Amino acid sequence: MTSTVPASMTRTADGSMLQAVLLDMDGTLVDTEGFWWDAEVEVFKALGHVLDEAWRDVVVGGPMTRSAGFLIEATGAAVTLAELTVLLNDTFEDRIGRGVPMMPGAERLLAELAAQGVPTALVSASHRRIIDRVLASLGPQYFALTVAGDEVPRTKPHPDPYLLAARRLGADPSRCAVIEDTATGVASAEAAGCRVVAVPSVAPIAPADGRMVVGSLEEVDLVFLREMMTRGH
């Protein structure tokens, strides 16, 4: 995790309600949600089990312990949670080592936030070892800090990761815009008191108070985020 950013850096140049932008990684910035499912299928096949495609919506976007625990229980596989976590991370890391595709609009949005001096954090349920590999493709220079799922006592859907990111940026969570692709991530951000832009990657997400739903990051820019923050204030 990178060092704390001084609070003096948390205000945007125009003094808008937006103090920081916090972004999920898998399925939001990089097209890796399918990679995780493929890794799970591959690992369980080696263990002698076939995963039901219907389980994909259950495990998407969740913390490793929850997803792996569910699959162990659902299949009855003879593997411990600790062993499975290592197998899944190893298999996933091998897949992303071959290249990670960016989601449409992600690179442009990150470049715009950086150019305008908006403090930006990457907040993921993935483990540190995975984040650091993906950052090589994303560009670590775009993020003031990153928070990994194995660096907080409770990861998504709990609010802890987003509360930690906001605190380290010196920002008020209610003045942070979060971009997420799953219901689990949205629940985490909203529990932290953040405003959310949902870009569903696998399962639908309904609009709600304080939440915008878009079809792609190509619909999101700094003007969009600043306008979202002023609604209801």
Side-chain angles (χ1 to χ4, degrees), residues 135-192:
L135 274 175
S137 298
L138 272 176
Q141 71 276 11
Y142 290 127
F143 304 99
L145 62 88
T146 61
V147 177
D150 55 342
E151 294 173 341
V152 289
R154 303 183 305 171
T155 189
K156 304 173 186 179
H158 298 286
D160 306 38
Y162 283 110
L163 289 174
L164 177 61
R167 183 169 70 249
R168 287 183 172 266
L169 287 174
D172 181 339
S174 69
R175 295 179 67 176
C176 292
V178 168
I179 303 179
E180 273 281 0
D181 72 304
T182 67
T184 298
V186 168
S188 173
E190 291 182 344

